[in-house]
Structures are given as structure tokens and as C-alpha cells.
Amino acid sequence: MRVYADRFPTAARQLLTDLLVVAWIYLWIRAAMWLHDLVQKLAVPGQKLEGAGGGLADNLADAGGKVGRVPVVGDELTAPFENAAEAARAMAEAGRDQQALVGELALALSLALLVFPLGVVLVGWLPLRVRWMRRAGAARALRSAPAGRDLLALRALATQPIRKLTRIDPDVAQAWRRGDADTVDALAALELRALGLRATPVRR
């Protein structure tokens, strides 16, 4: 008997699921980036405040320096300019603080947006994917050995739907107990198909 390798729907479904998960993560990351950029626009007033305050402080300091060179009264005239420059620097500092606060808010909101979708992947999809990988890896190691094919056939008897088992043989359990080679190979192939794996050709 020869069991031919081909592609099975389980493998296609697994690939489709993986692609959907990747698309899901990508879309939510893009949404988080969009939200981050949107919130960051709130920092524009702070940027303008910082720029205006910094420019005003520089101009006042420069004017104060020039006034300070006036003989006799220069020192007295400089004080108001210095005070005004200090107030302008405080305004610029407030603009920087506002930008920092908006940046922290944008980061927090974008991360909060990712918590649920990434949680679905990590808690829901990933454990199932790892479980499938382990089962498929074990089945892949068994499929080439005759004794391994017996174990795969036994697992198929224990886990596969009855309608699929009866397609192989109406009394499939009895055929397996007799050690019928065709039945064992068919059961092993059924279990491999359920895991999305190919059945290794076996010659008898």
C-alpha cells in the first residue's frame, strides 16, 4: 500500500489563521500610532509657547544688555528687562512641560489601546498555536516509524470523529486490533491530516 503526501485543509486553515493574527496585530499597531500622532498634536500650543517665550527672553536679554551700557543709569534700567526676560523664560519652560505631558499622555493612551488586542493574541491564540506546534512536532517524529504509525492510529481512534473513522472501515476498531496494515496506515494518515501534516509514503 502507498499513502501519498498532499496538502490538507488543516494546514491551510492554520496558515490563514496566522495571517489573520498578523493582520490583526498590524492594524492595532497602526491604530495606536494614529492615536499617538493625534494626541501629539495637542503639544503644538506648547511648542509655540516655548518658541515665543524663548525668543522673547533672548530679545529682552539683548535689549537689557544694550541698555546696561548707558552711562550712570544703565544698571537701573537693566533690571526691568532682566525681570521680563526671566518671565519669558518661565513661559518657555511651561511650554516644554506641556509638551512633555502631552508626550507621556500620547504614549500611555497608545499602549492602553494595544492592551486588549495583544492580550487576545497572547492569551487566546498563542497557547493554542504552541500546543499545535508541540502536537505536530511529536506526530512528525512518529510518522516515519512503523511503531509510531501504530501510535498515531491509536490516537486517531481515540480523538477523531466517528464519521471519519467509519469511512475507513465500518468496524475500524476491530480492524486495528487485527493489525490490518491498510487500516493502520489510513488511521495514521487521518491523524496527520488533522494536524495539517503530510503522510510519509509507505511501501508494503
Side-chain angles (χ1 to χ4, degrees):
M1 174 186 175
R2 187 192 298 268
V3 180
Y4 291 99
D6 51 18
R7 296 187 180 279
F8 301 108
T10 300
R13 288 197 301 269
Q14 190 67 56
L15 176 60
L16 178 60
T17 302
D18 292 345
L19 293 176
L20 289 175
V21 169
V22 172
W24 168 269
I25 294 174
Y26 172 77
L27 290 175
W28 279 104
I29 289 177
R30 292 289 299 177
M33 293 173 62
W34 173 83
L35 178 62
H36 183 276
D37 293 341
L38 181 64
V39 176
Q40 279 285 36
K41 292 180 180 179
L42 298 175
V44 172
Q47 295 170 0
K48 294 181 178 179
L49 186 63
E50 180 186 4
L56 181 59
D58 292 340
N59 292 334
L60 289 170
D62 184 59
K66 292 178 180 178
V67 170
R69 291 196 291 269
V70 176
V72 183
V73 296
D75 293 340
E76 295 180 2
L77 295 176
T78 299
F81 287 95
E82 291 178 348
N83 293 335
E86 189 63 29
R89 293 190 187 95
M91 183 173 64
E93 183 65 25
R96 285 191 290 271
D97 291 342
Q98 192 263 354
Q99 292 176 68
L101 180 61
V102 169
E104 293 174 0
L105 178 63
L107 179 61
L109 290 177
S110 58
L111 291 178
L113 185 64
L114 290 174
V115 168
F116 173 74
L118 293 184
V120 170
V121 172
L122 294 176
V123 177
W125 172 81
L126 187 59
L128 295 177
R129 189 70 169 88
V130 172
R131 179 184 175 188
W132 176 83
M133 290 172 64
R134 289 176 176 174
R135 290 179 57 194
R140 188 179 293 110
L142 289 173
R143 67 181 173 182
S144 299
R149 298 182 71 80
D150 289 336
L151 291 175
L152 289 171
L154 179 60
R155 182 173 178 82
L157 281 173
T159 61
Q160 296 302 313
I162 294 178
R163 59 182 177 79
K164 292 185 178 181
L165 296 175
T166 53
R167 289 175 186 171
I168 296 174
D169 191 302
D171 193 3
V172 65
Q174 183 62 32
W176 174 80
R177 281 195 292 269
R178 291 197 311 267
D180 182 77
D182 291 349
T183 301
V184 171
D185 285 338
L187 287 170
L190 178 62
E191 180 65 16
L192 290 171
R193 284 197 298 271
L195 294 172
L197 299 176
R198 299 177 180 180
T200 302
V202 175
R203 294 180 183 275
R204 298 189 185 279

